[in-house]
Amino acid sequence: MSETPLPAAVGPQDGAAPPLLEIADVTMRFGGIVALDAVTFSVGKGRIVGLIGPNGAGKTTLFNCLSRLYQPAHGDIRLNGGSLRRCAASDIAGLGIGRTFQSPALFASMSVLDNVKVGAHARGRNGPLTDALTLPSSRREEREVDQAARAMLAFIGLEDAASRPAASLTLAARKRVELARALAARPLLLLLDEPAGGLNHQEVAALGVLIRSIRDQLGITVLLVEHHIGLVMSLSDQVVVLNFGRVIADGPPERIRRDPAVAEAYLGTRH
Amino acid sequence: MEKSVIGATFDAPAVDRYPAPNAGTQRWIAALGLIALAVVLPFVVSKYHVFELTMVMIYAIAVLGLNILAGYNGQISLGHGGFFAAGAYTAAILMHRYGVPYWATLPPAALICFALGVLFGLPALRFEGPYLALVTLALALATPQLLKYFDNWTGGQQGINLTKPLPPHWLVIDRDRWLYLIVLAALLLAMRIAANLLHGRTGRALVAIRDHPIAAAALGIDTARYKTLAFGTSTLFMGVAGALAAIVIGYVSPEGYNLFLSLSFLVGSAVGGIATIGGAIIGGLFIEFVPNLANDISDAAPWAIYGLAMLLFMYTMPQGVVGSLGPWITRSMRQIRAQRAAFAGGDEEHDGKGRTS
Ligand SMILES: Nc1ncnc2c1ncn2[C@@H]1O[C@H](COP(=O)(O)OP(=O)(O)O)[C@@H](O)[C@H]1O
Ligand SMILES: [Mg+2]
C-alpha cells in the first residue's frame, strides 16, 4: 500500500511481549441486567481469539465497550498498555481498533468504494478548509485514499463492485465490504461480530480463508465473535467463552472443546 | 447495534457525488457551455427578467447551503431564513451605517453567519430529525420579531433602504446586469467550494453520519464536530445569499424574512434534489417563479396551485429533479459510450456495470 506517515499494523509476534488488548474486570449493567460481569481476558499480538457464548451472553456488549459506545460501570480496557477509559468513541479507530457490526452497518447511499474510503478517515488529515480549496496536499491524500481503498477491495475480492451502491449488494458482499472498510483504517486489532451470520456454507469457508489472511498477510490481531463453532475452532489460537456475562472458560480450542462447563452452558445446549 | 430509530426517520436520499469515470471531460464541456449561456443570458432578456434571474441565483446559493446540512448531513432545518436574514442585515448595516462598499460586506456576512450557525448548531446536537426541525422552526418564527426588537440597529419595522451599487465606470453595462454578473460569480464559486468540500474526506464524513452515525463514530468520525461544521458551513452560504439579496434588492425589512422564506428554502431543496449541488439551481427557479406563476394561473387560490406544483414534482421525482434525473442521465451517457465503443469495434469500454444489451 501507499506510503503514509501513519503507523502500520504490527506483524504477528510471539514471546513475552505484553498483550495487545487487556480486558480487566469489565462490568456493564443495563438497569437490572448485568450484561458483563467482571470480564477479564487478554488478546496477544498477532493472534486470532474466538469469543463464543449463547445469545445474550454479552459478546456484542463487550464489543461496544471496546468501541467506547458503552461506558462500563467497572474495570479497564487497555490497548498496548494504554487505558481506553478516557477515550471518545471516535478516538478508537485512530488508536487502532477496527470493527464490523452484527448486522452490516454500511453507509447505504454511498458507493462501495466510498464506504471503504470512509474507513480510512481516521488516518486522514484533510480538513474542511483544505477540502474546500482542494490544496495539492489534499489532492495527494485523496489519491492515496483512493488507491488504498481499491487495494482493500481487491484484497476482499470485490474490486469490480467499487462503483455500485452499497445497498445493492448481497448480504455476504455487504459483510465483506464492511470488513474492507474496517481494514482501510489499518487497525492493530479487528473486532468481528458474527461475520458468518447469514452466510451459506461456501461463503463461510471463504470467510475463514479471508480472516486467516487478514492475520497472516496484514498482521492484524483478530477478536472473533461467532456462533459457527467449526469456524471459530479452526481459526482461533485461543477461545474465550462467555455465559451470562461471565467468562467461564479461556484457553486453546482443544481444551475448550473438552471443557465440561462449556459443553453444558453452550455447546451441549445448542447442537 | 441498530441504527437509531430517530435518525432513520427520513429516507436517505441518494447522494449526487459519483460522476461516472471518464465522464470528466464531457462534464467540463457541459459546464463551460452552461456558464457561457449564463453570462450571455442577461443581455438578451429584459431588465426585469435580469432581476428575477439574479434572485434565482441568490436563492440557489441559499438552497445549496441548506442542502449541505439537510441533504448531505441529514439535519433538517426549518429556520434557515433566520441566517439568510442575518446575512442580509449584516450587509445592510455595514453599508448603511459604516459606508462599507457592497462587495466588502460579503466576507463579514459569511463569517458572522458561520459563527451564528456554529453557536446554534452546538445546542442543536441534542436534537435529531423532527425534534431538530421543531427547534429550528422556533428560530424561523422568532426572526422577524428579533429584527424589530433590535430596532436601533435594524431600523425596526421600516427596515433599511440601500443605494444600489454601480458597475465600475469602465464597464458599459447597467447596474442590474452588473449585479447579475456578480451574483453569478458568487454562485459559481459557491458551487465549486461545495463540490470540493463534499467530494472529499469532509463530505464523506457528513454523509456517513447521515447514513449510520454509530458506524461513522466507530470509524473515527467525530460526529458532533462534523455536525456542527455542517451547520456553520450551511449558514455561511445562507449569510452570503442574504447579503447578496440585500445588495440586489436594495432594501431589508423584517417581514421579508418570515417563516415562509425558511420553508421556501426547504421546498426548493427538496424539489431540486436535497443531496445534490446542481439541484440548488432548480430550487432557486422554483422559489422565484412558482409563486408568481401560481398567481397568474389563479389569483383566487395561488397557494393551492403552489402546493399542487410541489406535489407534482415530489410525486414524479421523489429525489428531486437533479437527484432523480441525474443518475438516469449518467446511465444513459454510459450506455451511449459503451455502444459507441462497441460500434468502433474491438474492446468495449469496461467499467463493470451499467451495460444493458
Ligand atoms: N442497549 C442495551 N440496552 C439494554 N440491554 C441491553 C443493551 N444491549 C444489550 N443488552 C442486554 O445485554 C445482554 C447481552 O446482550 P448482547 O451483548 O447483545 O449479547 P450477545 O451479543 O452475546 O448475543 C442481553 O441481555 C441484552 O438484552
Ligand atoms: Mg451479539
Side-chain angles (χ1 to χ4, degrees), chain A residues 64 69-70 89-90 93 101 103 105 107-111 114 117-118 121-122 124 126-128 131-132 134 141-142 163 181, chain B residues 1-2 15 17-18 196-197 200-202 204-205 207-208 210-212 214-222 226 229 353:
Chain A
N64 287 341
L69 296 170
Y70 292 165
S90 58
F101 291 81
S103 52
F107 306 118
S109 72
M110 293 191 190
S111 70
D114 270 357
K117 284 184 180 179
V118 177
H121 183 91
N126 282 350
D131 275 347
T134 331
E141 184 180 303
E142 272 298 298
S163 55
R181 186 178 70 180
Chain B
M1 291 291 303
E2 297 300 329
V15 173
R17 46 200 301 266
Y18 317 111
N196 288 347
L197 188 75
R201 180 171 177 260
T202 309
R204 284 193 297 270
V207 178
R210 186 199 77 183
D211 281 5
H212 204 304
I214 292 165
L219 292 168
I221 295 168
D222 184 342
Y226 277 95
L229 175 83
K353 66 160 212 160

Side-chain angles (χ1 to χ4, degrees), chain B residues 286-355:
Chain B
F286 192 95
I287 295 170
E288 174 64 22
F289 290 118
V290 171
N292 289 342
L293 280 177
N295 229 339
D296 291 347
I297 294 169
S298 152
D299 51 5
W303 296 115
I305 305 285
Y306 182 90
L308 213 60
M310 225 169 79
L311 280 179
L312 199 69
F313 270 100
M314 295 322 293
Y315 189 76
T316 53
M317 290 172 281
Q319 302 272 10
V321 174
V322 173
S324 300
L325 292 185
W328 181 79
I329 291 173
T330 312
R331 255 196 324 274
S332 315
M333 296 286 282
R334 199 179 289 146
Q335 266 170 29
I336 290 169
R337 272 202 304 279
Q339 275 161 13
R340 222 182 264 158
F343 186 71
D347 293 336
E348 292 180 16
E349 180 172 319
H350 199 80
D351 59 7
K353 66 160 212 160
R355 269 182 287 131

Side-chain angles (χ1 to χ4, degrees), chain A residues 30 33 35 54-61 70:
Chain A
F30 297 105
I33 303 170
N55 274 325
K59 306 175 298 289
T60 299
T61 302
Y70 292 165

Side-chain angles (χ1 to χ4, degrees), chain B residues 21-54:
Chain B
N22 306 326
T25 331
Q26 277 161 359
R27 282 208 156 204
W28 267 110
I29 293 170
L32 284 178
L34 284 176
I35 293 171
L37 193 71
V39 171
V40 173
L41 196 58
F43 300 98
V44 295
V45 299
S46 79
K47 222 167 136 168
Y48 183 68
H49 287 317
V50 171
F51 173 78
E52 284 181 326
L53 291 171
T54 307

